[in-house]
Coordinates of all heavy atoms in Angstrom, one line a residue:
M1213 N 224.3 176.2 321.3 CA 225.6 175.8 321.9 C 226.1 176.9 322.8 O 225.9 178.1 322.5 CB 226.6 175.6 320.8 CG 227.8 174.8 321.3 SD 229.3 175.0 320.2 CE 228.5 175.0 318.6
L1214 N 226.6 176.5 323.9 CA 227.1 177.5 324.9 C 228.5 177.9 324.4 O 229.4 177.0 324.1 CB 227.2 176.8 326.3 CG 227.1 177.8 327.4 CD1 225.9 178.6 327.5 CD2 227.3 177.0 328.7
R1215 N 228.8 179.1 324.3 CA 230.1 179.6 324.1 C 230.4 180.8 324.9 O 229.5 181.5 325.3 CB 230.3 179.8 322.6 CG 229.4 181.0 322.1 CD 229.8 181.5 320.7 NE 228.9 182.5 320.2 CZ 228.9 183.8 320.5 NH1 229.8 184.2 321.4 NH2 228.0 184.6 320.0
K1216 N 231.7 181.0 325.0 CA 232.1 182.3 325.7 C 231.8 183.5 324.9 O 231.9 183.4 323.6 CB 233.5 182.2 326.2 CG 234.5 181.8 325.0 CD 235.9 181.7 325.5 CE 236.8 181.2 324.4 NZ 238.2 181.3 324.6
K1217 N 231.5 184.6 325.5 CA 231.3 185.8 324.8 C 232.6 186.5 324.4 O 233.6 186.4 325.2 CB 230.5 186.8 325.7 CG 229.1 186.7 325.5 CD 228.4 187.9 326.1 CE 227.1 188.2 325.4 NZ 226.6 189.6 325.6
H1218 N 232.6 187.1 323.2 CA 233.8 187.8 322.8 C 233.9 189.1 323.6 O 232.9 189.8 323.8 CB 233.8 188.1 321.3 CG 235.1 188.5 320.8 ND1 235.7 189.7 320.9 CD2 236.1 187.8 320.1 CE1 236.9 189.8 320.4 NE2 237.1 188.6 319.9
P1219 N 235.1 189.5 324.1 CA 235.2 190.7 324.9 C 234.9 192.0 324.1 O 234.5 193.0 324.8 CB 236.7 190.7 325.3 CG 237.4 189.7 324.4 CD 236.3 188.7 324.0
K1220 N 235.0 192.0 322.8 CA 234.7 193.2 322.1 C 233.3 193.1 321.5 O 232.9 192.1 320.9 CB 235.7 193.3 320.8 CG 237.1 193.5 321.2 CD 237.3 194.9 321.7 CE 238.8 195.1 322.0 NZ 239.1 196.4 322.6
K1221 N 232.5 194.1 321.9 CA 231.1 194.1 321.6 C 230.8 194.0 320.1 O 230.0 193.2 319.7 CB 230.4 195.4 322.1 CG 228.9 195.3 322.1 CD 228.4 196.7 322.5 CE 228.6 197.7 321.4 NZ 228.3 199.1 321.8
E1222 N 231.5 194.7 319.3 CA 231.4 194.7 317.8 C 231.6 193.3 317.3 O 230.8 192.8 316.4 CB 232.3 195.7 317.1 CG 232.2 197.1 317.5 CD 233.0 197.4 318.8 OE1 233.7 196.5 319.2 OE2 232.8 198.5 319.3
V1223 N 232.6 192.6 317.8 CA 233.0 191.3 317.3 C 232.0 190.3 317.7 O 231.6 189.4 317.0 CB 234.4 190.9 317.8 CG1 234.8 189.5 317.3 CG2 235.5 191.9 317.2
E1224 N 231.5 190.4 319.0 CA 230.5 189.6 319.5 C 229.2 189.7 318.6 O 228.6 188.6 318.3 CB 230.2 189.9 321.0 CG 228.9 189.3 321.6 CD 229.0 187.8 321.7 OE1 230.2 187.2 321.7 OE2 228.0 187.1 321.7
L1225 N 228.8 190.9 318.3 CA 227.6 191.0 317.4 C 227.9 190.4 316.0 O 226.9 189.7 315.5 CB 227.3 192.5 317.2 CG 226.7 193.2 318.5 CD1 226.6 194.6 318.2 CD2 225.4 192.6 318.7
A1226 N 229.1 190.4 315.5 CA 229.4 189.9 314.2 C 229.3 188.3 314.3 O 228.9 187.6 313.4 CB 230.8 190.3 313.7
I1227 N 229.8 187.8 315.4 CA 229.7 186.3 315.7 C 228.2 185.9 315.7 O 227.8 184.9 315.2 CB 230.5 185.9 317.0 CG1 231.9 186.2 316.8 CG2 230.2 184.5 317.3 CD1 232.7 186.1 318.1
Q1228 N 227.4 186.7 316.4 CA 226.0 186.3 316.4 C 225.4 186.4 315.1 O 224.5 185.6 314.7 CB 225.2 187.3 317.4 CG 225.6 187.1 318.8 CD 224.9 188.2 319.8 OE1 224.0 188.9 319.3 NE2 225.4 188.2 321.0
Y1229 N 225.8 187.4 314.3 CA 225.3 187.4 312.9 C 225.7 186.2 312.1 O 224.8 185.6 311.4 CB 226.0 188.7 312.2 CG 225.6 188.9 310.8 CD1 224.4 189.4 310.4 CD2 226.6 188.6 309.8 CE1 224.1 189.6 309.0 CE2 226.3 188.8 308.5 CZ 225.1 189.2 308.1 OH 224.7 189.4 306.7
A1230 N 226.9 185.7 312.3 CA 227.4 184.5 311.6 C 226.5 183.3 312.1 O 226.1 182.5 311.3 CB 228.9 184.3 311.9
E1231 N 226.3 183.3 313.5 CA 225.5 182.1 314.0 C 224.1 182.1 313.4 O 223.5 181.0 313.2 CB 225.5 182.2 315.5 CG 226.8 181.8 316.1 CD 226.9 181.9 317.6 OE1 226.1 182.8 318.2 OE2 227.6 181.2 318.3
N1232 N 223.6 183.3 313.3 CA 222.2 183.4 312.7 C 222.2 182.9 311.2 O 221.1 182.6 310.7 CB 221.7 184.8 312.7 CG 221.4 185.2 314.1 OD1 221.1 184.4 315.0 ND2 221.4 186.6 314.4
H1233 N 223.3 182.8 310.6 CA 223.4 182.3 309.2 C 223.9 180.9 309.2 O 224.4 180.4 308.2 CB 224.3 183.2 308.4 CG 223.6 184.5 308.0 ND1 223.5 185.6 308.9 CD2 223.0 184.9 306.9 CE1 222.8 186.6 308.3 NE2 222.5 186.1 307.1
G1234 N 223.9 180.2 310.4 CA 224.2 178.8 310.4 C 225.7 178.5 310.6 O 226.1 177.3 310.5
W1235 N 226.5 179.5 310.8 CA 227.9 179.2 311.1 C 228.1 178.7 312.5 O 227.3 178.9 313.4 CB 228.7 180.5 311.0 CG 228.9 181.0 309.6 CD1 227.9 181.3 308.7 CD2 230.1 181.1 308.8 NE1 228.4 181.7 307.5 CE2 229.7 181.6 307.5 CE3 231.4 180.9 309.1 CZ2 230.7 181.8 306.5 CZ3 232.4 181.2 308.2 CH2 232.1 181.6 306.9
R1236 N 229.1 177.9 312.6 CA 229.4 177.2 313.9 C 230.6 177.8 314.6 O 231.6 178.0 313.9 CB 229.4 175.7 313.7 CG 228.1 175.1 313.5 CD 228.3 173.8 312.7 NE 228.8 174.1 311.4 CZ 229.9 173.4 310.8 NH1 230.4 172.5 311.5 NH2 230.3 173.7 309.6
Y1237 N 230.6 177.8 315.8 CA 231.7 178.3 316.6 C 232.6 177.1 317.0 O 232.1 176.0 317.3 CB 231.2 178.9 317.9 CG 232.1 179.1 319.1 CD1 233.1 180.1 319.1 CD2 232.1 178.2 320.1 CE1 233.9 180.2 320.2 CE2 233.0 178.2 321.1 CZ 233.9 179.3 321.2 OH 234.7 179.4 322.2
K1238 N 233.9 177.2 316.9 CA 234.8 176.2 317.3 C 235.9 176.8 318.1 O 236.6 177.7 317.7 CB 235.4 175.5 316.0 CG 236.2 174.3 316.3 CD 236.4 173.5 314.9 CE 237.1 172.3 315.1 NZ 238.6 172.5 315.2
E1239 N 236.1 176.2 319.3 CA 237.2 176.6 320.1 C 238.5 176.5 319.4 O 238.8 175.5 318.8 CB 237.2 175.8 321.4 CG 238.0 176.3 322.5 CD 237.1 177.1 323.5 OE1 235.9 176.8 323.7 OE2 237.7 178.0 324.1
A1240 N 239.4 177.6 319.5 CA 240.7 177.5 318.9 C 241.6 176.9 319.9 O 241.9 177.4 321.0 CB 241.1 178.9 318.5
G1241 N 242.2 175.8 319.5 CA 243.2 175.1 320.4 C 244.5 175.6 320.0 O 244.8 175.8 318.8
G1242 N 245.4 175.8 320.9 CA 246.8 176.0 320.6 C 247.2 177.5 320.4 O 248.0 178.0 321.2
S1243 N 246.6 178.2 319.5 CA 247.0 179.5 319.2 C 246.6 180.5 320.3 O 245.5 180.5 320.8 CB 246.5 180.0 317.9 OG 246.6 181.4 317.8
A1244 N 247.5 181.3 320.7 CA 247.3 182.3 321.7 C 246.5 183.5 321.1 O 245.9 184.2 321.9 CB 248.5 182.8 322.4
H1245 N 246.6 183.7 319.8 CA 246.1 184.9 319.2 C 244.6 184.7 318.8 O 243.9 185.6 318.8 CB 246.9 185.4 318.1 CG 248.3 185.6 318.5 ND1 248.7 186.7 319.3 CD2 249.5 185.0 318.2 CE1 250.0 186.7 319.5 NE2 250.5 185.7 318.9
A1246 N 244.4 183.5 318.3 CA 243.0 183.3 317.8 C 242.1 183.0 319.0 O 242.4 182.2 319.9 CB 243.0 182.1 316.8
W1247 N 241.0 183.6 319.0 CA 240.0 183.5 320.0 C 239.2 182.2 319.8 O 238.9 181.4 320.6 CB 239.1 184.7 320.1 CG 238.1 184.6 321.2 CD1 238.3 184.8 322.5 CD2 236.6 184.4 321.0 NE1 237.0 184.7 323.2 CE2 236.1 184.5 322.3 CE3 235.9 184.2 319.9 CZ2 234.7 184.2 322.4 CZ3 234.5 184.0 320.0 CH2 233.9 184.0 321.3
S1248 N 238.8 182.0 318.5 CA 238.1 180.9 318.1 C 238.0 180.8 316.6 O 238.6 181.7 315.9 CB 236.6 181.0 318.5 OG 235.9 181.9 317.8
R1249 N 237.4 179.8 316.0 CA 237.2 179.8 314.6 C 235.7 179.7 314.4 O 234.9 179.2 315.2 CB 237.9 178.5 314.0 CG 239.4 178.6 314.0 CD 240.0 177.4 313.4 NE 239.9 177.5 311.9 CZ 240.6 178.3 311.2 NH1 241.5 179.1 311.7 NH2 240.5 178.3 309.9
L1250 N 235.3 180.2 313.2 CA 233.9 180.1 312.8 C 233.9 179.2 311.5 O 234.7 179.4 310.6 CB 233.2 181.4 312.5 CG 232.9 182.2 313.7 CD1 232.4 183.6 313.3 CD2 231.9 181.5 314.6
L1251 N 233.0 178.3 311.5 CA 232.9 177.4 310.3 C 231.5 177.6 309.7 O 230.5 177.7 310.3 CB 233.0 175.9 310.8 CG 234.3 175.6 311.6 CD1 234.2 174.1 312.2 CD2 235.5 175.7 310.8
C1252 N 231.5 177.6 308.4 CA 230.3 177.9 307.6 C 229.4 176.7 307.7 O 229.8 175.6 308.0 CB 230.7 178.3 306.2 SG 230.5 177.1 305.0
P1253 N 228.2 176.8 307.2 CA 227.1 175.7 307.2 C 227.6 174.4 306.5 O 227.0 173.4 306.7 CB 225.9 176.4 306.6 CG 226.0 177.8 306.8 CD 227.6 178.1 306.7
L1254 N 228.4 174.5 305.5 CA 228.9 173.4 304.8 C 229.8 172.5 305.8 O 230.9 173.0 306.1 CB 229.6 173.7 303.6 CG 230.0 172.5 302.7 CD1 228.7 172.0 302.1 CD2 231.0 172.9 301.6
E1255 N 229.4 171.3 306.2 CA 230.1 170.6 307.2 C 231.1 169.7 306.6 O 231.0 168.5 306.9 CB 229.1 169.9 308.1 CG 228.2 170.9 308.9 CD 227.5 170.2 310.0 OE1 228.1 169.3 310.6 OE2 226.4 170.6 310.3
N1256 N 232.0 170.1 305.7 CA 233.1 169.3 305.3 C 234.3 170.2 305.0 O 234.3 171.4 305.3 CB 232.7 168.5 304.1 CG 232.4 169.3 302.8 OD1 233.1 170.3 302.6 ND2 231.4 168.8 302.0
R1257 N 235.4 169.6 304.5 CA 236.6 170.3 304.3 C 236.5 171.5 303.4 O 237.4 172.4 303.4 CB 237.7 169.3 303.9 CG 238.1 168.4 305.0 CD 238.7 167.1 304.4 NE 239.9 167.5 303.7 CZ 240.6 166.6 303.0 NH1 240.2 165.3 302.8 NH2 241.7 166.9 302.4
E1258 N 235.5 171.5 302.5 CA 235.4 172.6 301.6 C 234.7 173.7 302.1 O 234.6 174.8 301.5 CB 234.7 172.1 300.3 CG 235.7 171.4 299.3 CD 235.0 170.3 298.5 OE1 234.0 170.5 298.0 OE2 235.6 169.2 298.4
G1259 N 234.1 173.6 303.3 CA 233.4 174.7 303.9 C 234.4 175.8 304.2 O 235.6 175.6 304.4
C1260 N 233.9 177.0 304.4 CA 234.7 178.2 304.8 C 235.0 178.1 306.2 O 234.2 177.6 307.0 CB 234.0 179.5 304.4 SG 233.0 179.5 303.0
S1261 N 236.1 178.8 306.6 CA 236.4 179.0 308.0 C 237.1 180.2 308.2 O 237.7 180.7 307.3 CB 237.1 177.8 308.6 OG 238.5 177.9 308.1
M1262 N 237.0 180.8 309.3 CA 237.8 182.0 309.6 C 238.2 182.1 311.0 O 237.5 181.5 311.9 CB 236.9 183.3 309.2 CG 235.6 183.5 310.0 SD 234.8 184.9 309.4 CE 233.1 184.4 309.6
S1263 N 239.2 182.8 311.3 CA 239.8 183.0 312.6 C 239.2 184.2 313.3 O 239.0 185.2 312.6 CB 241.3 183.0 312.6 OG 241.8 181.9 312.2
I1264 N 238.8 184.1 314.5 CA 238.4 185.3 315.2 C 239.5 185.6 316.2 O 239.9 184.8 317.0 CB 237.1 185.0 316.0 CG1 236.0 184.3 315.2 CG2 236.6 186.2 316.8 CD1 235.5 185.2 314.1
W1265 N 240.0 186.8 316.2 CA 241.1 187.3 317.0 C 240.5 187.7 318.3 O 239.5 188.4 318.4 CB 241.9 188.3 316.3 CG 242.3 187.9 315.0 CD1 241.9 188.4 313.8 CD2 243.3 186.9 314.6 NE1 242.5 187.8 312.7 CE2 243.3 186.8 313.2 CE3 244.0 186.0 315.4 CZ2 244.1 185.9 312.5 CZ3 244.8 185.0 314.7 CH2 244.8 185.0 313.3
S1266 N 241.3 187.4 319.4 CA 240.8 187.8 320.7 C 241.0 189.3 320.9 O 240.3 190.0 321.6 CB 241.5 187.0 321.8 OG 242.9 187.0 321.6
T1267 N 242.1 189.8 320.4 CA 242.4 191.3 320.5 C 242.8 191.9 319.2 O 243.9 192.2 318.9 CB 243.6 191.5 321.5 OG1 244.7 190.6 321.1 CG2 243.2 191.1 322.9
P1268 N 241.7 192.0 318.4 CA 242.0 192.6 317.1 C 242.5 194.0 317.3 O 242.0 194.7 318.1 CB 240.6 192.5 316.3 CG 239.7 192.4 317.4 CD 240.3 191.7 318.5
R1269 N 243.3 194.5 316.4 CA 243.8 195.9 316.5 C 242.7 196.9 316.2 O 242.6 197.9 316.8 CB 244.9 196.1 315.4 CG 245.9 197.2 315.7 CD 247.2 196.9 315.0 NE 247.0 196.4 313.7 CZ 247.1 197.2 312.6 NH1 247.4 198.4 312.7 NH2 246.9 196.6 311.4
D1270 N 241.8 196.5 315.3 CA 240.7 197.3 315.0 C 239.4 196.5 315.1 O 239.1 195.8 314.1 CB 240.8 198.0 313.6 CG 239.7 198.9 313.3 OD1 238.6 198.8 313.9 OD2 239.9 199.8 312.4
S1271 N 238.7 196.5 316.2 CA 237.6 195.5 316.4 C 236.5 195.8 315.4 O 235.8 194.9 315.0 CB 237.2 195.5 317.8 OG 236.8 196.8 318.2
V1272 N 236.2 197.0 315.1 CA 235.1 197.4 314.2 C 235.5 196.8 312.8 O 234.6 196.2 312.2 CB 234.9 198.9 314.1 CG1 233.9 199.3 313.0 CG2 234.4 199.4 315.5
N1273 N 236.7 196.9 312.4 CA 237.1 196.4 311.1 C 237.0 194.9 311.1 O 236.6 194.3 310.1 CB 238.5 196.9 310.8 CG 238.8 196.7 309.3 OD1 238.0 196.9 308.5 ND2 240.0 196.1 309.1
H1274 N 237.5 194.3 312.2 CA 237.4 192.8 312.3 C 236.0 192.3 312.2 O 235.7 191.3 311.5 CB 238.1 192.4 313.6 CG 238.3 190.9 313.7 ND1 238.9 190.2 312.6 CD2 238.2 190.0 314.7 CE1 239.0 188.9 313.0 NE2 238.5 188.8 314.2
A1275 N 235.1 193.0 312.9 CA 233.7 192.6 312.8 C 233.2 192.7 311.4 O 232.4 191.9 311.0 CB 232.9 193.5 313.8
R1276 N 233.6 193.8 310.8 CA 233.1 194.0 309.3 C 233.6 192.8 308.5 O 232.9 192.3 307.6 CB 233.7 195.3 308.9 CG 232.8 196.0 307.9 CD 233.2 197.4 307.6 NE 232.9 198.3 308.6 CZ 233.6 199.4 308.9 NH1 234.7 199.7 308.3 NH2 233.2 200.2 309.9
Q1277 N 234.9 192.4 308.7 CA 235.4 191.3 307.9 C 234.6 190.1 308.1 O 234.4 189.3 307.2 CB 236.9 191.0 308.4 CG 237.9 191.9 307.8 CD 239.3 191.7 308.5 OE1 239.4 191.0 309.4 NE2 240.3 192.4 308.0
I1278 N 234.2 189.8 309.4 CA 233.4 188.6 309.7 C 232.1 188.6 308.9 O 231.7 187.6 308.3 CB 233.2 188.5 311.2 CG1 234.5 188.3 311.9 CG2 232.2 187.4 311.5 CD1 234.4 188.5 313.5
C1279 N 231.5 189.8 309.0 CA 230.2 189.8 308.3 C 230.3 189.7 306.8 O 229.5 189.1 306.1 CB 229.5 191.2 308.6 SG 229.0 191.4 310.3
R1280 N 231.4 190.3 306.3 CA 231.6 190.1 304.8 C 231.8 188.7 304.4 O 231.4 188.2 303.4 CB 232.8 191.0 304.5 CG 232.8 191.4 303.0 CD 234.0 192.3 302.7 NE 233.9 193.5 303.5 CZ 235.1 194.1 304.0 NH1 236.2 193.6 303.8 NH2 234.9 195.2 304.7
R1281 N 232.6 188.0 305.3 CA 232.9 186.6 305.0 C 231.6 185.8 305.1 O 231.4 184.9 304.2 CB 233.8 186.1 306.1 CG 234.6 184.9 305.8 CD 235.6 185.1 304.7 NE 235.9 183.9 304.1 CZ 236.9 183.0 304.5 NH1 237.6 183.3 305.5 NH2 237.1 181.9 303.9
V1282 N 230.7 186.1 306.0 CA 229.4 185.4 306.1 C 228.6 185.6 304.8 O 228.0 184.7 304.2 CB 228.6 185.8 307.3 CG1 227.2 185.3 307.3 CG2 229.3 185.4 308.6
D1283 N 228.6 186.9 304.4 CA 227.8 187.3 303.2 C 228.4 186.6 302.0 O 227.6 186.4 301.0 CB 227.8 188.8 303.1 CG 227.0 189.5 304.1 OD1 226.1 188.8 304.7 OD2 227.2 190.7 304.4
S1284 N 229.7 186.4 301.9 CA 230.2 185.9 300.6 C 230.3 184.4 300.6 O 230.8 183.8 299.6 CB 231.6 186.5 300.4 OG 232.5 186.0 301.4
C1285 N 229.9 183.7 301.7 CA 229.9 182.3 301.7 C 228.9 181.7 300.7 O 227.7 182.1 300.7 CB 229.5 181.8 303.1 SG 229.2 180.0 303.1
P1286 N 229.3 180.9 299.8 CA 228.4 180.3 298.8 C 227.6 179.1 299.2 O 226.8 178.6 298.5 CB 229.4 179.9 297.6 CG 230.7 179.6 298.3 CD 230.7 180.4 299.6
H1287 N 227.8 178.7 300.5 CA 227.2 177.5 301.0 C 226.0 177.7 301.9 O 225.5 176.8 302.4 CB 228.3 176.7 301.8 CG 229.5 176.5 301.1 ND1 230.7 177.0 301.6 CD2 229.8 175.9 299.9 CE1 231.7 176.7 300.7 NE2 231.2 176.0 299.7
R1288 N 225.5 178.9 302.0 CA 224.4 179.1 302.9 C 223.1 178.7 302.1 O 223.0 178.7 300.9 CB 224.3 180.5 303.4 CG 224.3 181.6 302.3 CD 224.6 182.9 303.0 NE 224.4 184.0 302.1 CZ 224.0 185.2 302.5 NH1 223.7 185.4 303.7 NH2 223.9 186.2 301.6
D1289 N 222.1 178.5 303.0 CA 220.8 177.9 302.5 C 220.2 178.8 301.5 O 219.8 178.4 300.4 CB 219.9 177.6 303.6 CG 220.6 176.7 304.6 OD1 221.5 175.9 304.2 OD2 220.2 176.7 305.8
K1290 N 220.0 180.1 301.9 CA 219.2 181.0 301.1 C 220.1 181.9 300.2 O 221.1 182.4 300.7 CB 218.4 181.9 302.0 CG 217.3 181.1 302.7 CD 216.7 182.0 303.8 CE 216.7 181.3 305.1 NZ 216.6 182.1 306.3
Ligands
ZN282 ZN1 230.9 178.4 303.0

């Protein structure tokens, strides 16, 4: 899927990490602060989701949160 790149390199890498684990990118409509949402491989309402901020105060920490969220998702294949 074609998506825009995140302006922060660390966050972009974390998003790629999530995508490699089957997470999907979803354009954030409405909110000015959220850059996008990521949805876990479980494609229903019980699946995990998280907000990606366009200008996180601490991009390294935000990237770390994203990776942690991916790792703790109980719905991944392996
Ligand atoms: Zn999940």
